[in-house]
Amino acid sequence: MKFTISPRGSMSLLSQLEIERLQQSSDKQLYRLFRNCCLAVLNAGSKTDSSEEIFNKYEDFDVSVVKSERGIQLELINPPAEAFVDGKLIVGMQELVEAVLRDILFTGETYNSQTLDSADTHTLTHVVFDILRNAQIVQPNLDPNVIVCWGGHSINEVEYKYTKEVGYQMGLRALNICTGCGPGAMKGPMKGATIGHAKQRISDGRYLGFTEPGIIAAEPPNPIVNELVILPDIEKRLEAFIRCAHGIVVFPGGVGTAEELLYLLGILMHPENKRQVLPVVLTGPASSAGYFDAIDDFIVATLGEAARELYTIIIDDPVAVAKAMKDAARDVKEYRREVGDSYCFNWTLHIEEPFQRPFIPTHDNVRNLNLFRNQEPQLLASALRRAFSSIVAGNVKDEGIRAIRKYGPFEIHGERDMMRKLDVLLRAFVEQGRMKLPGTVYHPCYRVITD
């Protein structure tokens, strides 16, 4: 089956060089990235969180850039049938495909791997800003109102309904939502906010989704996302989250959520960020109180009491969470005005290089992580973040799944007491079904060395 779509706006006009780079014959790496991301967004709504499973299922999928008298067309070959209604591509799906075209082409043309590898910390922040600016995410004319919501793709029904209620309460207060754009706790707040915005007759609600090529197939954008951005890697995705956020809400989740929280805490714990105003709330229904107790205990045991002071835990009170985020947006506005920083991008936030350099989760790199307390707490947070990131890769990313199948589980070494606490936390994630989608038998991709 073949379907042809015509991109709109600036994406309808590409140069000959740009077209050639996106064709299979000229730049296989860029083409493969473009093809896989297109397949991922066309597969939105699938009941799997395995990139490998999706890529294997649609091995015969292809996409071609075709020159025409009116610009270009995209020819989709054997795409997922669910992306079409009565033979026509769903409008939201076409917008997501165009976002893929925009981001993959812009990043590939502007920032090749050699440029990124040699860039210093200030340049890497500029890269994040430039990608967001090109996608028209950073809008200086808007007041602070973007609330980043983190949480797991595999959560139970009670937790999912709670995320929707929190999103609804935030929507009623004219707050916009930014998530990792997938299912579960990423979809719930957006879905709730759409109702809150509708009741307040807000017709331009923003539902921002930040993703990256390694995760997009396992967590394809949910249908509510209306501003999708594909960052080059997880580190730039995380930096985009916190530089765009005017408040952060953390719902129940698994290793990916723990990775995000550790990244955030590691940055906020740096002395240069002591004056930063970025409120963080951890929240869930009453049944999830034990989950947050476990997360809180692990953070204090590894990073110390100072880390606990950077967040507030609110259990079973969506209204209180929404009010806290509304107050947060107001506080952020006052702080940014005081220091002369942008409302739409937090330039004054200090982020050190370990939080920006991509971590490649090979077996050797995971084995050699410095998971000992004889270092600054923010550096330990960075190392712990990488440990959780490696488990995410082994759980859902195509290259991670293949590496585990070939070489066996990742081995995580470190200080004995810390490893025991990590093992307890990870076992709880497994028992609570937070590693994979419900109904999936989970085989751990890691082994924590506790002896």
Side-chain angles (χ1 to χ4, degrees):
M1 294 187 297
K2 291 185 179 181
F3 296 89
T4 300
I5 61 174
S6 300
R8 296 162 294 188
S10 62
M11 288 297 98
S12 64
L13 292 173
L14 299 183
S15 71
Q16 295 296 307
L17 180 59
E18 289 171 328
I19 293 173
E20 289 174 3
R21 290 208 63 194
L22 289 173
Q23 291 176 333
Q24 187 172 7
S25 59
S26 58
D27 189 328
K28 292 183 178 180
Q29 184 175 356
L30 190 67
Y31 162 77
R32 192 181 305 113
L33 187 63
F34 176 55
R35 180 258 184 199
N36 289 350
C37 288
C38 282
L39 174 58
V41 300
L42 290 170
N43 203 54
S46 64
K47 302 300 182 182
T48 180
D49 58 358
S50 169
S51 301
E52 183 186 45
E53 183 177 328
I54 292 174
F55 294 150
N56 289 342
K57 182 178 179 180
Y58 295 100
E59 282 184 322
D60 58 351
F61 170 78
D62 207 349
V63 57
S64 299
V65 182
V66 181
K67 292 178 286 186
S68 74
E69 67 279 2
R70 294 183 182 275
I72 66 161
Q73 293 180 324
L74 296 181
E75 187 177 69
L76 307 176
I77 302 170
N78 299 319
E82 294 77 14
F84 295 81
V85 173
D86 298 335
K88 293 184 178 181
L89 184 63
I90 296 172
V91 173
M93 295 289 193
Q94 175 155 345
E95 291 178 353
L96 297 179
V97 170
E98 291 176 8
V100 170
L101 176 62
R102 177 200 67 214
D103 292 339
I104 296 302
L105 185 60
F106 177 76
T107 304
E109 287 287 317
T110 312
Y111 302 109
N112 58 38
S113 58
Q114 293 82 4
T115 299
L116 295 178
D117 289 344
S118 62
D120 60 19
T121 181
H122 297 295
T123 301
L124 290 173
T125 293
H126 169 76
V127 170
V128 173
F129 174 78
D130 204 19
I131 293 171
L132 295 175
R133 178 175 57 183
N134 185 64
Q136 299 182 350
I137 295 297
V138 285
Q139 299 185 20
N141 298 325
L142 302 179
D143 279 348
N145 63 7
V146 174
I147 306 302
V148 167
C149 296
W150 287 336
H153 71 290
S154 179
I155 57 175
N156 62 48
E157 188 64 21
V158 173
E159 291 171 340
Y160 178 68
K161 289 181 178 178
Y162 183 82
T163 68
K164 285 200 298 183
E165 181 61 25
V166 172
Y168 169 68
Q169 293 296 335
M170 291 196 290
L172 287 176
R173 290 163 176 80
L175 297 171
N176 289 314
I177 309 296
C178 176
T179 77
C181 81
M186 292 168 276
K187 178 181 178 182
M190 290 184 170
K191 195 168 186 179
T194 60
I195 305 301
H197 287 162
K199 283 192 173 183
Q200 296 287 22
R201 299 301 185 261
I202 297 172
S203 59
D204 57 352
R206 304 182 71 193
Y207 313 105
L208 294 81
F210 294 172
T211 186
E212 51 104 357
I215 202 73
I216 189 172
E219 296 178 356
N222 68 68
I224 303 167
V225 173
N226 62 6
E227 296 184 52
L228 174 69
V229 186
I230 303 171
L231 284 302
D233 50 61
I234 184 62
E235 286 76 12
K236 293 172 186 61
R237 179 195 191 195
L238 290 171
E239 182 168 352
F241 274 130
I242 63 172
R243 289 201 187 273
C244 288
H246 303 121
I248 295 179
V249 176
V250 182
F251 294 107
V255 287
T257 305
E259 175 187 6
E260 291 164 339
L261 183 56
L262 286 166
Y263 178 91
L264 173 64
L265 295 177
I267 289 172
L268 293 181
M269 291 180 76
H270 194 282
E272 291 193 29
N273 291 324
K274 189 174 182 179
R275 292 190 61 223
Q276 281 290 329
V277 177
L278 184 58
V280 181
V281 170
L282 280 56
T283 189
S287 57
S288 301
Y291 166 84
F292 288 108
D293 287 341
I295 289 288
D296 185 56
D297 289 344
F298 179 77
I299 288 172
V300 173
T302 54
L303 303 182
E305 286 287 346
R308 176 182 274 166
E309 297 175 1
L310 299 172
Y311 57 84
T312 302
I313 299 177
I314 299 176
I315 299 298
D316 206 28
D317 195 341
V319 172
V321 175
K323 286 183 176 179
M325 289 298 105
K326 186 67 175 179
D327 291 342
R330 183 167 52 250
D331 293 343
V332 167
K333 183 177 182 178
E334 292 177 1
Y335 170 77
R336 302 279 180 89
R337 183 190 294 131
E338 176 187 343
V339 299
D341 198 6
S342 168
Y343 287 160
C344 60
F345 193 84
N346 188 347
W347 289 103
T348 61
L349 189 71
H350 178 77
I351 301 181
E352 292 193 311
E353 191 170 331
F355 292 90
Q356 295 182 307
R357 293 292 176 195
F359 174 70
I360 309 301
T362 65
H363 283 69
D364 284 341
N365 286 345
V366 174
R367 192 178 296 111
N368 293 324
L369 286 171
N370 181 13
L371 299 176
F372 293 86
R373 291 188 179 90
N374 58 347
Q375 56 185 313
E376 293 295 324
Q378 64 267 22
L379 296 180
L380 175 57
S382 174
L384 284 168
R385 194 282 298 180
R386 291 177 169 184
F388 282 102
S389 187
S390 67
I391 300 175
V392 173
N395 282 350
V396 300
K397 294 185 179 183
D398 181 55
E399 67 275 15
I401 293 171
R402 294 180 188 277
I404 297 299
R405 184 178 297 126
K406 184 174 182 179
Y407 300 110
F410 292 126
E411 292 186 352
I412 304 175
H413 297 256
E415 193 171 307
R416 180 179 298 179
D417 180 59
M418 191 186 307
M419 292 302 97
R420 288 175 176 172
K421 288 179 169 56
L422 175 62
D423 192 45
V424 169
L425 183 65
L426 293 175
R427 287 179 185 272
F429 287 171
V430 174
E431 292 169 1
Q432 296 167 14
R434 300 189 185 281
M435 290 294 198
K436 297 287 284 183
L437 289 173
T440 304
V441 177
Y442 179 64
H443 301 285
C445 67
Y446 63 91
R447 188 162 67 93
V448 180
I449 310 302
T450 57
D451 299 331

